[in-house]
Amino acid sequence: MKEILKILEDDARTSVEQIAIMAGKSVDEVVAFIKQAEQDRVVLRYKAVVNWDRVEDEQVRALIEVKVTPEPDFGFDAVADRIARFPQVRSAYLASGNYDLLLVVVGKNEHEIANFVSEKLTHIKGVQGTVTHFVLKRYKEDGEMLEAGEEVKRQPVIL
Amino acid sequence: MSISQHRSCASISDRVKRLSPSGIRKFFDLLASMEGVVSLGVGEPDYTTPWHVREAAIRSLERGYTMYTSNSGIPELRQELSKHLKAHHDVTYDPNGEILITVGVSEGMDLAMRAILNSGDEVIIADPSYVAYEPCVILAGGEPVKVPTSLENDFELRAADIEERITDRTRAIFIGYPANPTGAVMGREGLLEIAELAQRRDLMVVSDEIYARLVYGVNHTCFASLPGMRERTILLGGFSKAHAMTGWRIGYAAAPRDVIAAMTKIHQYTMMCAPTMAQVAAAEALKAGDAGVNEMVADYNRRRQLIVTGLNSIGLACFEPKGAFYVFPSIAATGMTSEEFSEKLLVEEKVAVVPGSAFGQCGEGHVRCCYATSVADLQEALGRMKRFVERHRK
């Protein structure tokens, strides 16, 4: 059944009929599996990988290291949960190394992100300190190269 | 603009004149002049070579590995191949003297034929089969003897059909499974019968196993692994298909010491060695293990099921091809010859497939479709072919 997830991960718009053929299952099996996967939160959402750099819309992205004092009963989880609920936070990870949490944060401009850090993040109990790295350029997003370079063409017929 | 029509003073050899010019030249020219074609006519992966492999070659250039290698190929690659052949096919070859790195399987085939054939020796070849087998035999002074295979037997070569055509001049059987153009594989049983025949009639077997890694739901049987066959087999393989490395031109031959010595003799005078950076890249491809290849195979398999189901549903019946990345549907529903079908399909619907007749008489009535192309293109091609078949159903 991992087959079905692979197909969806590659192109979430693939029809259930086509998935059934490609995975060698019946349509009913595929429908049932996907429903279950959605219920179990194995499949979280279906969405597009957007290259915002190609759109006029300005968007700034920062990686923020957060140092946290763990809480007695909850460790890092309670603080991480409070931080992750902010919509500006696109991804949040607990990481090994010199800091504890690594966040990917987006905003309309540097100012908005600076505000988020000074007004929200540092006010959360348990947050000891932050280091903000503004992203200067994106090369790859979620497995996709943003500038693929020129397409290499195959010979149309090769025996 | 026409190219000069003047003929040179050169006299072209009878052997070369005898090679049939690609029967579908006209078709190629037509294709080259068209835009917006969805091609199922290619014979190579749609993947580019994995990055770690490309990166290894770049690094080798940076470090200055730009000289010739030994005629046999770099030791590291031969050692990796020896391990690979043992692990995957349970055959043991000494990296020193029983493995030769060639410029693709293409060179390997040529060397094999030239190494074992005397003038007039006959070589058994399946019909249809890969386009280069017959010319290789002819250029080496041999006589190709075609053995028909057919849809009824899923295009497998049958020992009984071979035996009927064996004469006292027969020197070798040249097999290639998984097969281009049919996608057919041969199971252990059928191969054992051919092995028994080779033993009984004292024949060599040249086994082109370039598609060995691309099998779906079945295991590949390496011919040399069959009882008694290592002694009489020239095993040919390469990196083009499984590792998406067609342009690197790296293949190999594994065979008993005296045969590899003979092949190396020809190789050293005609080729010297395979390109150095490509050999480094091939070694890296093997060292990385199977995960990457397995992922590509799983991906081909999804597309294989898509195209087989699609072709059958539009009335182009195909048996289930269990190897390589080709489907070989029958075009009987249209009543056309394979060349007519391919040309009309190209002109009317801009889909390129290869006429089965390009691979031998027994390929007539079929076309070769390669599914190593994007799912979107496969869907598009199937849609166009559906329209075409509906229009031309007889």
Side-chain angles (χ1 to χ4, degrees), chain A residues 3 6-7 18 21-24 154-159, chain B residues 28 31 39 41-44 180 302 305 368 372 375 379:
Chain A
E3 260 321 79
K6 282 253 182 207
I7 295 167
Q18 190 177 318
I21 293 168
M22 291 169 84
R154 291 191 289 175
Q155 298 292 311
V157 170
I158 302 155
L159 300 173
Chain B
F28 283 158
L31 181 61
S39 182
V42 291
E44 67 178 331
N180 178 2
R302 295 191 270 269
Q305 306 196 73
R368 189 192 76 176
V375 168
Q379 296 281 64

mmCIF file of all heavy atoms in Angstrom, chain A residues 3 6-7 18 21-24 154-159, chain B residues 28 31 39 41-44 180 302 305 368 372 375 379:
data_model
loop_
_atom_site.group_PDB
_atom_site.id
_atom_site.type_symbol
_atom_site.label_atom_id
_atom_site.label_comp_id
_atom_site.label_asym_id
_atom_site.label_seq_id
_atom_site.Cartn_x
_atom_site.Cartn_y
_atom_site.Cartn_z
ATOM 1 N N GLU A 3 2.833 1.840 -2.184
ATOM 2 C CA GLU A 3 2.722 2.197 -3.594
ATOM 3 C C GLU A 3 1.777 3.381 -3.782
ATOM 4 O O GLU A 3 2.085 4.334 -4.479
ATOM 5 C CB GLU A 3 2.087 1.023 -4.340
ATOM 6 C CG GLU A 3 2.947 0.066 -5.119
ATOM 7 C CD GLU A 3 4.095 0.643 -5.878
ATOM 8 O OE1 GLU A 3 5.109 0.922 -5.210
ATOM 9 O OE2 GLU A 3 4.016 0.795 -7.088
ATOM 10 N N LYS A 6 3.140 6.609 -2.537
ATOM 11 C CA LYS A 6 4.189 7.099 -3.452
ATOM 12 C C LYS A 6 3.567 7.831 -4.628
ATOM 13 O O LYS A 6 4.035 8.895 -5.037
ATOM 14 C CB LYS A 6 5.000 5.916 -3.992
ATOM 15 C CG LYS A 6 6.015 5.388 -3.013
ATOM 16 C CD LYS A 6 7.403 5.791 -3.470
ATOM 17 C CE LYS A 6 8.455 5.231 -2.540
ATOM 18 N NZ LYS A 6 9.661 6.055 -2.550
ATOM 19 N N ILE A 7 2.533 7.211 -5.196
ATOM 20 C CA ILE A 7 1.882 7.810 -6.363
ATOM 21 C C ILE A 7 1.277 9.167 -5.981
ATOM 22 O O ILE A 7 1.443 10.152 -6.691
ATOM 23 C CB ILE A 7 0.802 6.866 -6.935
ATOM 24 C CG1 ILE A 7 1.465 5.587 -7.481
ATOM 25 C CG2 ILE A 7 -0.009 7.546 -8.028
ATOM 26 C CD1 ILE A 7 0.511 4.452 -7.782
ATOM 27 N N GLN A 18 -6.752 5.662 -11.980
ATOM 28 C CA GLN A 18 -5.376 5.515 -12.471
ATOM 29 C C GLN A 18 -4.470 4.923 -11.391
ATOM 30 O O GLN A 18 -3.613 4.087 -11.671
ATOM 31 C CB GLN A 18 -4.845 6.874 -12.933
ATOM 32 C CG GLN A 18 -3.534 6.742 -13.674
ATOM 33 C CD GLN A 18 -3.043 8.082 -14.190
ATOM 34 O OE1 GLN A 18 -3.825 8.878 -14.695
ATOM 35 N NE2 GLN A 18 -1.759 8.327 -14.061
ATOM 36 N N ILE A 21 -4.866 1.193 -11.333
ATOM 37 C CA ILE A 21 -4.137 0.505 -12.405
ATOM 38 C C ILE A 21 -2.647 0.459 -12.097
ATOM 39 O O ILE A 21 -1.999 -0.582 -12.160
ATOM 40 C CB ILE A 21 -4.373 1.210 -13.761
ATOM 41 C CG1 ILE A 21 -5.834 1.052 -14.186
ATOM 42 C CG2 ILE A 21 -3.456 0.650 -14.827
ATOM 43 C CD1 ILE A 21 -6.244 1.940 -15.351
ATOM 44 N N MET A 22 -2.110 1.611 -11.709
ATOM 45 C CA MET A 22 -0.662 1.697 -11.493
ATOM 46 C C MET A 22 -0.206 0.839 -10.317
ATOM 47 O O MET A 22 0.906 0.323 -10.316
ATOM 48 C CB MET A 22 -0.245 3.150 -11.265
ATOM 49 C CG MET A 22 -0.366 4.007 -12.511
ATOM 50 S SD MET A 22 -0.173 5.771 -12.145
ATOM 51 C CE MET A 22 1.606 5.917 -12.145
ATOM 52 N N ALA A 23 -1.067 0.713 -9.312
ATOM 53 C CA ALA A 23 -0.665 -0.049 -8.128
ATOM 54 C C ALA A 23 -1.157 -1.492 -8.177
ATOM 55 O O ALA A 23 -0.850 -2.286 -7.287
ATOM 56 C CB ALA A 23 -1.201 0.639 -6.872
ATOM 57 N N GLY A 24 -1.894 -1.830 -9.234
ATOM 58 C CA GLY A 24 -2.403 -3.192 -9.356
ATOM 59 C C GLY A 24 -3.440 -3.541 -8.288
ATOM 60 O O GLY A 24 -3.480 -4.663 -7.798
ATOM 61 N N ARG A 154 15.733 14.075 -25.111
ATOM 62 C CA ARG A 154 16.169 12.777 -25.605
ATOM 63 C C ARG A 154 15.989 12.723 -27.113
ATOM 64 O O ARG A 154 15.189 13.463 -27.674
ATOM 65 C CB ARG A 154 15.310 11.665 -24.990
ATOM 66 C CG ARG A 154 15.545 11.482 -23.525
ATOM 67 C CD ARG A 154 14.895 10.211 -23.026
ATOM 68 N NE ARG A 154 13.443 10.289 -22.977
ATOM 69 C CZ ARG A 154 12.651 9.272 -22.660
ATOM 70 N NH1 ARG A 154 13.170 8.091 -22.399
ATOM 71 N NH2 ARG A 154 11.345 9.424 -22.609
ATOM 72 N N GLN A 155 16.699 11.845 -27.781
ATOM 73 C CA GLN A 155 16.441 11.579 -29.190
ATOM 74 C C GLN A 155 15.017 11.025 -29.272
ATOM 75 O O GLN A 155 14.628 10.238 -28.416
ATOM 76 C CB GLN A 155 17.419 10.535 -29.729
ATOM 77 C CG GLN A 155 18.878 10.951 -29.684
ATOM 78 C CD GLN A 155 19.172 12.068 -30.650
ATOM 79 O OE1 GLN A 155 18.808 12.005 -31.823
ATOM 80 N NE2 GLN A 155 19.814 13.108 -30.166
ATOM 81 N N PRO A 156 14.236 11.438 -30.295
ATOM 82 C CA PRO A 156 12.833 11.001 -30.307
ATOM 83 C C PRO A 156 12.659 9.480 -30.499
ATOM 84 O O PRO A 156 11.729 8.904 -29.993
ATOM 85 C CB PRO A 156 12.215 11.783 -31.453
ATOM 86 C CG PRO A 156 13.358 12.270 -32.274
ATOM 87 C CD PRO A 156 14.536 12.386 -31.382
ATOM 88 N N VAL A 157 13.536 8.880 -31.267
ATOM 89 C CA VAL A 157 13.452 7.430 -31.439
ATOM 90 C C VAL A 157 14.825 6.808 -31.281
ATOM 91 O O VAL A 157 15.798 7.276 -31.862
ATOM 92 C CB VAL A 157 12.880 7.028 -32.821
ATOM 93 C CG1 VAL A 157 13.040 5.532 -33.044
ATOM 94 C CG2 VAL A 157 11.410 7.405 -32.909
ATOM 95 N N ILE A 158 14.906 5.822 -30.437
ATOM 96 C CA ILE A 158 16.141 5.061 -30.279
ATOM 97 C C ILE A 158 15.743 3.597 -30.306
ATOM 98 O O ILE A 158 14.863 3.179 -29.563
ATOM 99 C CB ILE A 158 16.821 5.379 -28.929
ATOM 100 C CG1 ILE A 158 17.121 6.869 -28.819
ATOM 101 C CG2 ILE A 158 18.103 4.567 -28.776
ATOM 102 C CD1 ILE A 158 17.206 7.363 -27.399
ATOM 103 N N LEU A 159 16.379 2.853 -31.184
ATOM 104 C CA LEU A 159 16.040 1.427 -31.260
ATOM 105 C C LEU A 159 16.820 0.698 -30.191
ATOM 106 O O LEU A 159 16.403 -0.042 -29.436
ATOM 107 C CB LEU A 159 16.379 0.848 -32.621
ATOM 108 C CG LEU A 159 15.645 1.536 -33.781
ATOM 109 C CD1 LEU A 159 16.163 1.020 -35.096
ATOM 110 C CD2 LEU A 159 14.148 1.290 -33.683
ATOM 111 N N PHE B 28 11.968 8.080 -39.580
ATOM 112 C CA PHE B 28 12.827 8.931 -38.753
ATOM 113 C C PHE B 28 12.861 10.357 -39.292
ATOM 114 O O PHE B 28 12.781 11.318 -38.542
ATOM 115 C CB PHE B 28 14.266 8.405 -38.733
ATOM 116 C CG PHE B 28 14.453 7.211 -37.841
ATOM 117 C CD1 PHE B 28 15.522 6.347 -38.045
ATOM 118 C CD2 PHE B 28 13.585 6.953 -36.797
ATOM 119 C CE1 PHE B 28 15.707 5.244 -37.229
ATOM 120 C CE2 PHE B 28 13.758 5.856 -35.974
ATOM 121 C CZ PHE B 28 14.822 5.000 -36.195
ATOM 122 N N LEU B 31 9.690 12.155 -38.567
ATOM 123 C CA LEU B 31 9.627 12.468 -37.143
ATOM 124 C C LEU B 31 10.456 13.709 -36.823
ATOM 125 O O LEU B 31 10.026 14.597 -36.081
ATOM 126 C CB LEU B 31 10.139 11.255 -36.358
ATOM 127 C CG LEU B 31 10.156 11.335 -34.844
ATOM 128 C CD1 LEU B 31 8.752 11.543 -34.319
ATOM 129 C CD2 LEU B 31 10.727 10.046 -34.272
ATOM 130 N N SER B 39 6.567 10.953 -27.824
ATOM 131 C CA SER B 39 7.315 9.797 -28.312
ATOM 132 C C SER B 39 7.308 8.635 -27.335
ATOM 133 O O SER B 39 7.709 8.762 -26.186
ATOM 134 C CB SER B 39 8.759 10.186 -28.622
ATOM 135 O OG SER B 39 9.423 9.047 -29.145
ATOM 136 N N GLY B 41 8.861 6.131 -28.594
ATOM 137 C CA GLY B 41 9.798 5.455 -29.487
ATOM 138 C C GLY B 41 11.207 5.355 -28.951
ATOM 139 O O GLY B 41 12.088 4.790 -29.594
ATOM 140 N N VAL B 42 11.421 5.872 -27.761
ATOM 141 C CA VAL B 42 12.786 5.864 -27.250
ATOM 142 C C VAL B 42 13.151 4.510 -26.646
ATOM 143 O O VAL B 42 12.296 3.711 -26.333
ATOM 144 C CB VAL B 42 12.994 6.939 -26.165
ATOM 145 C CG1 VAL B 42 12.938 8.309 -26.773
ATOM 146 C CG2 VAL B 42 11.973 6.779 -25.075
ATOM 147 N N GLY B 43 14.425 4.285 -26.504
ATOM 148 C CA GLY B 43 14.875 3.040 -25.884
ATOM 149 C C GLY B 43 15.798 3.332 -24.737
ATOM 150 O O GLY B 43 16.825 2.683 -24.564
ATOM 151 N N GLU B 44 15.459 4.326 -23.931
ATOM 152 C CA GLU B 44 16.319 4.648 -22.786
ATOM 153 C C GLU B 44 15.468 5.217 -21.663
ATOM 154 O O GLU B 44 14.364 5.697 -21.888
ATOM 155 C CB GLU B 44 17.420 5.630 -23.183
ATOM 156 C CG GLU B 44 16.924 7.018 -23.563
ATOM 157 C CD GLU B 44 18.070 7.973 -23.910
ATOM 158 O OE1 GLU B 44 19.166 7.800 -23.376
ATOM 159 O OE2 GLU B 44 17.836 8.864 -24.738
ATOM 160 N N ASN B 180 14.314 -6.562 -25.743
ATOM 161 C CA ASN B 180 13.958 -5.437 -26.589
ATOM 162 C C ASN B 180 13.685 -6.067 -27.943
ATOM 163 O O ASN B 180 14.574 -6.750 -28.454
ATOM 164 C CB ASN B 180 15.148 -4.469 -26.660
ATOM 165 C CG ASN B 180 14.903 -3.286 -27.563
ATOM 166 O OD1 ASN B 180 13.829 -3.149 -28.121
ATOM 167 N ND2 ASN B 180 15.912 -2.441 -27.726
ATOM 168 N N ARG B 302 4.808 0.941 -12.181
ATOM 169 C CA ARG B 302 3.533 1.664 -12.137
ATOM 170 C C ARG B 302 3.123 2.095 -13.551
ATOM 171 O O ARG B 302 1.978 1.968 -13.951
ATOM 172 C CB ARG B 302 3.650 2.895 -11.227
ATOM 173 C CG ARG B 302 3.906 2.543 -9.770
ATOM 174 C CD ARG B 302 3.753 3.761 -8.870
ATOM 175 N NE ARG B 302 4.996 4.495 -8.709
ATOM 176 C CZ ARG B 302 5.894 4.279 -7.752
ATOM 177 N NH1 ARG B 302 5.696 3.334 -6.859
ATOM 178 N NH2 ARG B 302 6.991 4.995 -7.662
ATOM 179 N N GLN B 305 1.990 -0.869 -15.777
ATOM 180 C CA GLN B 305 0.612 -1.309 -15.582
ATOM 181 C C GLN B 305 -0.358 -0.334 -16.224
ATOM 182 O O GLN B 305 -1.379 -0.732 -16.782
ATOM 183 C CB GLN B 305 0.339 -1.477 -14.088
ATOM 184 C CG GLN B 305 1.382 -2.398 -13.481
ATOM 185 C CD GLN B 305 1.000 -2.936 -12.115
ATOM 186 O OE1 GLN B 305 0.138 -3.789 -12.024
ATOM 187 N NE2 GLN B 305 1.645 -2.447 -11.080
ATOM 188 N N ARG B 368 6.377 -1.328 -31.113
ATOM 189 C CA ARG B 368 7.034 -1.241 -29.809
ATOM 190 C C ARG B 368 6.727 0.103 -29.178
ATOM 191 O O ARG B 368 6.962 1.155 -29.789
ATOM 192 C CB ARG B 368 8.550 -1.384 -29.954
ATOM 193 C CG ARG B 368 9.248 -1.520 -28.595
ATOM 194 C CD ARG B 368 10.758 -1.370 -28.696
ATOM 195 N NE ARG B 368 11.147 0.029 -28.871
ATOM 196 C CZ ARG B 368 12.403 0.460 -28.916
ATOM 197 N NH1 ARG B 368 13.396 -0.415 -28.823
ATOM 198 N NH2 ARG B 368 12.670 1.744 -29.088
ATOM 199 N N ALA B 372 9.087 4.296 -20.660
ATOM 200 C CA ALA B 372 10.006 5.109 -19.849
ATOM 201 C C ALA B 372 9.809 6.574 -20.216
ATOM 202 O O ALA B 372 10.692 7.236 -20.761
ATOM 203 C CB ALA B 372 11.444 4.685 -20.090
ATOM 204 N N VAL B 375 4.152 9.990 -16.811
ATOM 205 C CA VAL B 375 2.766 9.520 -16.744
ATOM 206 C C VAL B 375 1.866 10.420 -17.584
ATOM 207 O O VAL B 375 0.987 9.959 -18.307
ATOM 208 C CB VAL B 375 2.280 9.474 -15.274
ATOM 209 C CG1 VAL B 375 0.781 9.274 -15.197
ATOM 210 C CG2 VAL B 375 3.001 8.359 -14.524
ATOM 211 N N GLN B 379 -0.430 9.138 -20.680
ATOM 212 C CA GLN B 379 -1.870 9.379 -20.731
ATOM 213 C C GLN B 379 -2.253 10.064 -22.039
ATOM 214 O O GLN B 379 -3.222 9.703 -22.688
ATOM 215 C CB GLN B 379 -2.308 10.264 -19.553
ATOM 216 C CG GLN B 379 -2.113 9.643 -18.213
ATOM 217 C CD GLN B 379 -3.210 8.650 -17.866
ATOM 218 O OE1 GLN B 379 -3.356 7.626 -18.526
ATOM 219 N NE2 GLN B 379 -3.989 8.947 -16.849
#
